[in-house]
PDB file of all heavy atoms in Angstrom:
ATOM      1  N   LEU A  49       2.097  -0.498   4.283  1.00 98.00           N
ATOM      2  CA  LEU A  49       3.390  -0.648   4.593  1.00 98.00           C
ATOM      3  C   LEU A  49       4.251  -0.123   3.344  1.00 98.00           C
ATOM      4  O   LEU A  49       4.014  -0.407   2.251  1.00 98.00           O
ATOM      5  CB  LEU A  49       3.813  -2.125   4.971  1.00 98.00           C
ATOM      6  CG  LEU A  49       3.185  -2.713   6.204  1.00 98.00           C
ATOM      7  CD1 LEU A  49       3.386  -4.172   6.300  1.00 98.00           C
ATOM      8  CD2 LEU A  49       3.605  -2.050   7.448  1.00 98.00           C
ATOM      9  N   GLY A 163       5.155   9.769   5.260  1.00 98.00           N
ATOM     10  CA  GLY A 163       4.728   8.498   5.939  1.00 98.00           C
ATOM     11  C   GLY A 163       4.946   8.685   7.399  1.00 98.00           C
ATOM     12  O   GLY A 163       5.588   9.546   7.879  1.00 98.00           O
ATOM     13  N   VAL A 164       4.401   7.786   8.155  1.00 98.00           N
ATOM     14  CA  VAL A 164       4.477   7.634   9.571  1.00 98.00           C
ATOM     15  C   VAL A 164       5.684   6.786   9.994  1.00 98.00           C
ATOM     16  O   VAL A 164       5.587   5.585   9.495  1.00 98.00           O
ATOM     17  CB  VAL A 164       3.264   7.053  10.284  1.00 98.00           C
ATOM     18  CG1 VAL A 164       3.427   6.964  11.805  1.00 98.00           C
ATOM     19  CG2 VAL A 164       2.034   7.900   9.885  1.00 98.00           C
ATOM     20  N   GLY A 165       6.808   7.379  10.435  1.00 97.00           N
ATOM     21  CA  GLY A 165       7.971   6.522  10.741  1.00 97.00           C
ATOM     22  C   GLY A 165       8.184   6.280  12.139  1.00 97.00           C
ATOM     23  O   GLY A 165       7.343   6.749  13.081  1.00 97.00           O
ATOM     24  N   CYS A 166       9.293   5.627  12.408  1.00 98.00           N
ATOM     25  CA  CYS A 166       9.713   5.302  13.818  1.00 98.00           C
ATOM     26  C   CYS A 166      11.234   5.495  13.958  1.00 98.00           C
ATOM     27  O   CYS A 166      11.888   4.760  14.672  1.00 98.00           O
ATOM     28  CB  CYS A 166       9.289   3.919  14.141  1.00 98.00           C
ATOM     29  SG  CYS A 166       9.791   2.560  13.054  1.00 98.00           S
ATOM     30  N   GLN A 167      11.810   6.385  13.108  1.00 97.00           N
ATOM     31  CA  GLN A 167      13.182   6.596  13.133  1.00 97.00           C
ATOM     32  C   GLN A 167      14.000   5.330  12.948  1.00 97.00           C
ATOM     33  O   GLN A 167      15.054   5.114  13.654  1.00 97.00           O
ATOM     34  CB  GLN A 167      13.656   7.474  14.345  1.00 97.00           C
ATOM     35  CG  GLN A 167      13.050   8.798  14.494  1.00 97.00           C
ATOM     36  CD  GLN A 167      13.315   9.585  15.694  1.00 97.00           C
ATOM     37  OE1 GLN A 167      12.941   9.074  16.709  1.00 97.00           O
ATOM     38  NE2 GLN A 167      14.064  10.542  15.583  1.00 97.00           N
ATOM     39  N   ARG A 173      18.436   2.418  17.802  1.00 98.00           N
ATOM     40  CA  ARG A 173      16.960   2.174  18.139  1.00 98.00           C
ATOM     41  C   ARG A 173      16.753   0.721  17.893  1.00 98.00           C
ATOM     42  O   ARG A 173      16.710   0.164  16.839  1.00 98.00           O
ATOM     43  CB  ARG A 173      15.998   3.002  17.290  1.00 98.00           C
ATOM     44  CG  ARG A 173      16.088   4.430  17.631  1.00 98.00           C
ATOM     45  CD  ARG A 173      15.180   5.372  16.866  1.00 98.00           C
ATOM     46  NE  ARG A 173      13.771   4.955  16.989  1.00 98.00           N
ATOM     47  CZ  ARG A 173      13.151   5.435  18.138  1.00 98.00           C
ATOM     48  NH1 ARG A 173      13.525   6.202  18.948  1.00 98.00           N
ATOM     49  NH2 ARG A 173      11.764   5.281  18.179  1.00 98.00           N
ATOM     50  N   ALA A 175      14.712  -2.961  17.968  1.00 98.00           N
ATOM     51  CA  ALA A 175      13.348  -3.362  17.335  1.00 98.00           C
ATOM     52  C   ALA A 175      12.171  -3.072  18.116  1.00 98.00           C
ATOM     53  O   ALA A 175      11.203  -2.639  17.578  1.00 98.00           O
ATOM     54  CB  ALA A 175      13.515  -4.901  16.902  1.00 98.00           C
ATOM     55  N   GLN A 176      12.239  -3.257  19.424  1.00 98.00           N
ATOM     56  CA  GLN A 176      11.186  -3.013  20.366  1.00 98.00           C
ATOM     57  C   GLN A 176      10.816  -1.535  20.321  1.00 98.00           C
ATOM     58  O   GLN A 176       9.699  -1.128  20.394  1.00 98.00           O
ATOM     59  CB  GLN A 176      11.610  -3.465  21.690  1.00 98.00           C
ATOM     60  CG  GLN A 176      10.279  -3.298  22.755  1.00 98.00           C
ATOM     61  CD  GLN A 176       9.182  -4.249  22.474  1.00 98.00           C
ATOM     62  OE1 GLN A 176       9.406  -5.428  22.060  1.00 98.00           O
ATOM     63  NE2 GLN A 176       8.107  -3.713  22.336  1.00 98.00           N
ATOM     64  N   MET A 177      11.862  -0.666  20.461  1.00 98.00           N
ATOM     65  CA  MET A 177      11.647   0.803  20.266  1.00 98.00           C
ATOM     66  C   MET A 177      10.871   1.164  19.055  1.00 98.00           C
ATOM     67  O   MET A 177      10.094   2.059  19.044  1.00 98.00           O
ATOM     68  CB  MET A 177      12.993   1.577  20.325  1.00 98.00           C
ATOM     69  CG  MET A 177      13.650   1.406  21.729  1.00 98.00           C
ATOM     70  SD  MET A 177      15.426   2.000  21.786  1.00 98.00           S
ATOM     71  CE  MET A 177      15.181   3.728  21.575  1.00 98.00           C
ATOM     72  N   ARG A 178      11.238   0.661  17.967  1.00 98.00           N
ATOM     73  CA  ARG A 178      10.684   0.935  16.600  1.00 98.00           C
ATOM     74  C   ARG A 178       9.324   0.569  16.687  1.00 98.00           C
ATOM     75  O   ARG A 178       8.405   1.177  16.237  1.00 98.00           O
ATOM     76  CB  ARG A 178      11.515   0.196  15.449  1.00 98.00           C
ATOM     77  CG  ARG A 178      12.964   0.767  15.402  1.00 98.00           C
ATOM     78  CD  ARG A 178      13.727  -0.105  14.481  1.00 98.00           C
ATOM     79  NE  ARG A 178      15.213   0.174  14.598  1.00 98.00           N
ATOM     80  CZ  ARG A 178      16.173   0.218  13.672  1.00 98.00           C
ATOM     81  NH1 ARG A 178      15.902   0.030  12.501  1.00 98.00           N
ATOM     82  NH2 ARG A 178      17.328   0.450  14.044  1.00 98.00           N
ATOM     83  N   TYR A 179       9.011  -0.719  17.102  1.00 98.00           N
ATOM     84  CA  TYR A 179       7.618  -1.232  17.207  1.00 98.00           C
ATOM     85  C   TYR A 179       6.831  -0.401  18.150  1.00 98.00           C
ATOM     86  O   TYR A 179       5.698   0.061  17.769  1.00 98.00           O
ATOM     87  CB  TYR A 179       7.744  -2.664  17.738  1.00 98.00           C
ATOM     88  CG  TYR A 179       6.458  -3.217  18.247  1.00 98.00           C
ATOM     89  CD1 TYR A 179       5.478  -3.742  17.396  1.00 98.00           C
ATOM     90  CD2 TYR A 179       6.058  -3.133  19.588  1.00 98.00           C
ATOM     91  CE1 TYR A 179       4.277  -4.168  17.771  1.00 98.00           C
ATOM     92  CE2 TYR A 179       4.887  -3.742  20.053  1.00 98.00           C
ATOM     93  CZ  TYR A 179       3.940  -4.148  19.177  1.00 98.00           C
ATOM     94  OH  TYR A 179       2.695  -4.718  19.632  1.00 98.00           O
ATOM     95  N   ASP A 180       7.218  -0.080  19.272  1.00 98.00           N
ATOM     96  CA  ASP A 180       6.526   0.721  20.337  1.00 98.00           C
ATOM     97  C   ASP A 180       6.242   2.196  19.705  1.00 98.00           C
ATOM     98  O   ASP A 180       5.164   2.628  19.905  1.00 98.00           O
ATOM     99  CB  ASP A 180       7.228   1.017  21.552  1.00 98.00           C
ATOM    100  CG  ASP A 180       7.435  -0.393  22.355  1.00 98.00           C
ATOM    101  OD1 ASP A 180       6.607  -1.244  22.191  1.00 98.00           O
ATOM    102  OD2 ASP A 180       8.315  -0.379  23.247  1.00 98.00           O
ATOM    103  N   ASP A 181       7.165   2.730  18.999  1.00 98.00           N
ATOM    104  CA  ASP A 181       6.951   4.163  18.533  1.00 98.00           C
ATOM    105  C   ASP A 181       5.943   4.054  17.404  1.00 98.00           C
ATOM    106  O   ASP A 181       4.874   4.948  17.401  1.00 98.00           O
ATOM    107  CB  ASP A 181       8.331   4.582  17.850  1.00 98.00           C
ATOM    108  CG  ASP A 181       8.237   6.103  17.430  1.00 98.00           C
ATOM    109  OD1 ASP A 181       7.282   6.683  17.526  1.00 98.00           O
ATOM    110  OD2 ASP A 181       9.312   6.543  17.016  1.00 98.00           O
ATOM    111  N   LEU A 182       6.000   3.146  16.520  1.00 98.00           N
ATOM    112  CA  LEU A 182       4.968   3.088  15.431  1.00 98.00           C
ATOM    113  C   LEU A 182       3.623   2.701  16.009  1.00 98.00           C
ATOM    114  O   LEU A 182       2.587   3.330  15.563  1.00 98.00           O
ATOM    115  CB  LEU A 182       5.452   2.123  14.512  1.00 98.00           C
ATOM    116  CG  LEU A 182       4.688   1.994  13.173  1.00 98.00           C
ATOM    117  CD1 LEU A 182       4.713   3.407  12.373  1.00 98.00           C
ATOM    118  CD2 LEU A 182       5.141   0.875  12.243  1.00 98.00           C
ATOM    119  N   MET A 183       3.511   1.724  16.856  1.00 98.00           N
ATOM    120  CA  MET A 183       2.249   1.460  17.315  1.00 98.00           C
ATOM    121  C   MET A 183       1.458   2.474  18.203  1.00 98.00           C
ATOM    122  O   MET A 183       0.238   2.370  18.194  1.00 98.00           O
ATOM    123  CB  MET A 183       2.364   0.093  18.157  1.00 98.00           C
ATOM    124  CG  MET A 183       2.713  -1.176  17.383  1.00 98.00           C
ATOM    125  SD  MET A 183       1.420  -1.461  16.070  1.00 98.00           S
ATOM    126  CE  MET A 183       2.289  -0.977  14.494  1.00 98.00           C
ATOM    127  N   ALA A 184       2.179   3.349  18.703  1.00 98.00           N
ATOM    128  CA  ALA A 184       1.617   4.502  19.511  1.00 98.00           C
ATOM    129  C   ALA A 184       1.077   5.458  18.533  1.00 98.00           C
ATOM    130  O   ALA A 184       0.170   6.218  19.061  1.00 98.00           O
ATOM    131  CB  ALA A 184       2.670   5.086  20.366  1.00 98.00           C
ATOM    132  N   LYS A 185       1.311   5.534  17.255  1.00 97.00           N
ATOM    133  CA  LYS A 185       0.886   6.521  16.352  1.00 97.00           C
ATOM    134  C   LYS A 185      -0.002   6.108  15.318  1.00 97.00           C
ATOM    135  O   LYS A 185      -0.831   6.885  14.655  1.00 97.00           O
ATOM    136  CB  LYS A 185       2.159   7.153  15.726  1.00 97.00           C
ATOM    137  CG  LYS A 185       3.097   7.825  16.628  1.00 97.00           C
ATOM    138  CD  LYS A 185       4.142   8.577  15.968  1.00 97.00           C
ATOM    139  CE  LYS A 185       5.151   7.702  15.318  1.00 97.00           C
ATOM    140  NZ  LYS A 185       6.333   8.392  14.866  1.00 97.00           N
ATOM    141  N   VAL A 186      -0.009   4.818  14.846  1.00 98.00           N
ATOM    142  CA  VAL A 186      -0.658   4.413  13.552  1.00 98.00           C
ATOM    143  C   VAL A 186      -2.119   4.652  13.705  1.00 98.00           C
ATOM    144  O   VAL A 186      -2.833   4.459  14.733  1.00 98.00           O
ATOM    145  CB  VAL A 186      -0.399   2.871  13.369  1.00 98.00           C
ATOM    146  CG1 VAL A 186      -1.075   1.998  14.426  1.00 98.00           C
ATOM    147  CG2 VAL A 186      -0.878   2.493  11.930  1.00 98.00           C
ATOM    148  N   GLN A 187      -2.752   5.084  12.508  1.00 98.00           N
ATOM    149  CA  GLN A 187      -4.095   5.376  12.463  1.00 98.00           C
ATOM    150  C   GLN A 187      -4.644   4.821  11.098  1.00 98.00           C
ATOM    151  O   GLN A 187      -3.871   4.645  10.144  1.00 98.00           O
ATOM    152  CB  GLN A 187      -4.313   6.917  12.460  1.00 98.00           C
ATOM    153  CG  GLN A 187      -3.901   7.683  13.642  1.00 98.00           C
ATOM    154  CD  GLN A 187      -3.943   9.201  13.618  1.00 98.00           C
ATOM    155  OE1 GLN A 187      -4.608   9.659  12.591  1.00 98.00           O
ATOM    156  NE2 GLN A 187      -3.438   9.937  14.448  1.00 98.00           N
ATOM    157  N   ASP A 190      -3.087   5.532   7.184  1.00 98.00           N
ATOM    158  CA  ASP A 190      -1.611   5.842   7.342  1.00 98.00           C
ATOM    159  C   ASP A 190      -0.780   5.140   6.242  1.00 98.00           C
ATOM    160  O   ASP A 190      -1.201   4.055   5.915  1.00 98.00           O
ATOM    161  CB  ASP A 190      -1.078   5.533   8.624  1.00 98.00           C
ATOM    162  CG  ASP A 190      -1.214   6.608   9.716  1.00 98.00           C
ATOM    163  OD1 ASP A 190      -1.752   7.756   9.399  1.00 98.00           O
ATOM    164  OD2 ASP A 190      -1.045   6.270  10.931  1.00 98.00           O
ATOM    165  N   ILE A 191       0.212   5.811   5.858  1.00 98.00           N
ATOM    166  CA  ILE A 191       1.262   5.180   5.073  1.00 98.00           C
ATOM    167  C   ILE A 191       2.517   4.989   6.072  1.00 98.00           C
ATOM    168  O   ILE A 191       3.012   6.001   6.482  1.00 98.00           O
ATOM    169  CB  ILE A 191       1.741   6.052   3.785  1.00 98.00           C
ATOM    170  CG1 ILE A 191       0.515   6.254   2.901  1.00 98.00           C
ATOM    171  CG2 ILE A 191       2.889   5.436   3.109  1.00 98.00           C
ATOM    172  CD1 ILE A 191       0.719   7.374   1.962  1.00 98.00           C
ATOM    173  N   ILE A 192       2.740   3.843   6.356  1.00 98.00           N
ATOM    174  CA  ILE A 192       3.877   3.520   7.271  1.00 98.00           C
ATOM    175  C   ILE A 192       5.222   3.517   6.585  1.00 98.00           C
ATOM    176  O   ILE A 192       5.412   2.841   5.531  1.00 98.00           O
ATOM    177  CB  ILE A 192       3.614   2.111   7.952  1.00 98.00           C
ATOM    178  CG1 ILE A 192       2.370   2.227   8.774  1.00 98.00           C
ATOM    179  CG2 ILE A 192       4.783   1.720   8.888  1.00 98.00           C
ATOM    180  CD1 ILE A 192       1.900   0.892   9.481  1.00 98.00           C
ATOM    181  N   LEU A 193       6.110   4.253   7.081  1.00 98.00           N
ATOM    182  CA  LEU A 193       7.548   4.486   6.472  1.00 98.00           C
ATOM    183  C   LEU A 193       8.559   3.674   7.217  1.00 98.00           C
ATOM    184  O   LEU A 193       8.896   4.044   8.262  1.00 98.00           O
ATOM    185  CB  LEU A 193       7.784   5.872   6.400  1.00 98.00           C
ATOM    186  CG  LEU A 193       8.891   6.476   5.464  1.00 98.00           C
ATOM    187  CD1 LEU A 193       9.004   8.016   5.416  1.00 98.00           C
ATOM    188  CD2 LEU A 193      10.260   5.927   5.856  1.00 98.00           C
ATOM    189  N   LEU A 194       9.081   2.660   6.549  1.00 98.00           N
ATOM    190  CA  LEU A 194      10.212   1.882   7.067  1.00 98.00           C
ATOM    191  C   LEU A 194      11.281   1.781   5.973  1.00 98.00           C
ATOM    192  O   LEU A 194      11.124   2.324   4.880  1.00 98.00           O
ATOM    193  CB  LEU A 194       9.641   0.445   7.322  1.00 98.00           C
ATOM    194  CG  LEU A 194       8.536   0.417   8.514  1.00 98.00           C
ATOM    195  CD1 LEU A 194       7.952  -1.006   8.568  1.00 98.00           C
ATOM    196  CD2 LEU A 194       9.061   0.744   9.857  1.00 98.00           C
ATOM    197  N   ALA A 206      11.565  -5.763  13.915  1.00 98.00           N
ATOM    198  CA  ALA A 206      10.375  -5.023  14.374  1.00 98.00           C
ATOM    199  C   ALA A 206       9.128  -5.356  13.379  1.00 98.00           C
ATOM    200  O   ALA A 206       7.958  -5.514  13.904  1.00 98.00           O
ATOM    201  CB  ALA A 206      10.606  -3.575  14.129  1.00 98.00           C
ATOM    202  N   LEU A 207       9.432  -5.603  12.167  1.00 98.00           N
ATOM    203  CA  LEU A 207       8.308  -6.002  11.202  1.00 98.00           C
ATOM    204  C   LEU A 207       7.678  -7.286  11.612  1.00 98.00           C
ATOM    205  O   LEU A 207       6.482  -7.503  11.462  1.00 98.00           O
ATOM    206  CB  LEU A 207       8.815  -6.092   9.830  1.00 98.00           C
ATOM    207  CG  LEU A 207       7.854  -6.258   8.672  1.00 98.00           C
ATOM    208  CD1 LEU A 207       6.896  -5.007   8.616  1.00 98.00           C
ATOM    209  CD2 LEU A 207       8.474  -6.525   7.410  1.00 98.00           C
ATOM    210  N   ILE A 210       5.288  -5.942  14.086  1.00 98.00           N
ATOM    211  CA  ILE A 210       4.280  -4.992  13.611  1.00 98.00           C
ATOM    212  C   ILE A 210       3.155  -5.537  12.893  1.00 98.00           C
ATOM    213  O   ILE A 210       1.906  -5.214  13.136  1.00 98.00           O
ATOM    214  CB  ILE A 210       5.088  -3.931  12.689  1.00 98.00           C
ATOM    215  CG1 ILE A 210       6.076  -3.059  13.418  1.00 98.00           C
ATOM    216  CG2 ILE A 210       4.057  -3.108  11.867  1.00 98.00           C
ATOM    217  CD1 ILE A 210       7.044  -2.221  12.684  1.00 98.00           C
ATOM    218  N   ILE A 211       3.373  -6.403  12.022  1.00 98.00           N
ATOM    219  CA  ILE A 211       2.368  -6.966  11.155  1.00 98.00           C
ATOM    220  C   ILE A 211       1.250  -7.708  11.978  1.00 98.00           C
ATOM    221  O   ILE A 211       0.102  -7.510  11.868  1.00 98.00           O
ATOM    222  CB  ILE A 211       2.868  -7.939  10.012  1.00 98.00           C
ATOM    223  CG1 ILE A 211       3.646  -7.109   8.931  1.00 98.00           C
ATOM    224  CG2 ILE A 211       1.792  -8.698   9.325  1.00 98.00           C
ATOM    225  CD1 ILE A 211       4.248  -7.776   7.889  1.00 98.00           C
ATOM    226  N   LEU A 214      -0.810  -5.097  13.872  1.00 98.00           N
ATOM    227  CA  LEU A 214      -1.704  -4.383  12.997  1.00 98.00           C
ATOM    228  C   LEU A 214      -2.999  -5.293  12.683  1.00 98.00           C
ATOM    229  O   LEU A 214      -4.119  -4.781  12.697  1.00 98.00           O
ATOM    230  CB  LEU A 214      -1.079  -3.995  11.805  1.00 98.00           C
ATOM    231  CG  LEU A 214      -0.053  -2.862  11.845  1.00 98.00           C
ATOM    232  CD1 LEU A 214       0.687  -2.658  10.543  1.00 98.00           C
ATOM    233  CD2 LEU A 214      -0.690  -1.526  12.204  1.00 98.00           C
ATOM    234  N   ARG A 217      -5.261  -5.384  15.729  1.00 98.00           N
ATOM    235  CA  ARG A 217      -6.029  -4.177  15.921  1.00 98.00           C
ATOM    236  C   ARG A 217      -7.055  -4.001  14.819  1.00 98.00           C
ATOM    237  O   ARG A 217      -7.800  -3.008  14.902  1.00 98.00           O
ATOM    238  CB  ARG A 217      -5.158  -2.967  15.933  1.00 98.00           C
ATOM    239  CG  ARG A 217      -4.121  -3.012  17.064  1.00 98.00           C
ATOM    240  CD  ARG A 217      -3.391  -1.622  17.279  1.00 98.00           C
ATOM    241  NE  ARG A 217      -2.293  -1.667  18.190  1.00 98.00           N
ATOM    242  CZ  ARG A 217      -1.654  -0.656  18.602  1.00 98.00           C
ATOM    243  NH1 ARG A 217      -1.815   0.491  18.029  1.00 98.00           N
ATOM    244  NH2 ARG A 217      -0.704  -0.795  19.489  1.00 98.00           N
ATOM    245  N   ARG A 253       4.049  13.498  11.258  1.00 87.00           N
ATOM    246  CA  ARG A 253       3.893  12.452  12.316  1.00 87.00           C
ATOM    247  C   ARG A 253       5.040  11.545  12.349  1.00 87.00           C
ATOM    248  O   ARG A 253       4.923  10.381  12.847  1.00 87.00           O
ATOM    249  CB  ARG A 253       2.459  11.779  12.047  1.00 87.00           C
ATOM    250  CG  ARG A 253       1.333  12.782  12.346  1.00 87.00           C
ATOM    251  CD  ARG A 253      -0.046  12.176  12.101  1.00 87.00           C
ATOM    252  NE  ARG A 253      -0.143  10.690  12.598  1.00 87.00           N
ATOM    253  CZ  ARG A 253      -0.472   9.722  11.953  1.00 87.00           C
ATOM    254  NH1 ARG A 253      -0.949   9.887  10.732  1.00 87.00           N
ATOM    255  NH2 ARG A 253      -0.577   8.539  12.597  1.00 87.00           N
TER     256      ARG A 253
END
Side-chain angles (χ1 to χ4, degrees):
L49 293 171
V164 179
C166 54
Q167 296 177 295
R173 289 181 65 81
Q176 188 67 46
M177 292 168 66
R178 299 170 194 218
Y179 166 83
D180 290 342
D181 188 356
L182 188 62
M183 289 300 104
K185 297 185 289 189
V186 67
Q187 300 175 9
D190 275 348
I191 299 166
I192 295 172
L193 196 170
L194 299 168
L207 189 63
I210 289 167
I211 292 177
L214 287 172
R217 295 188 187 187
R253 289 174 45 230

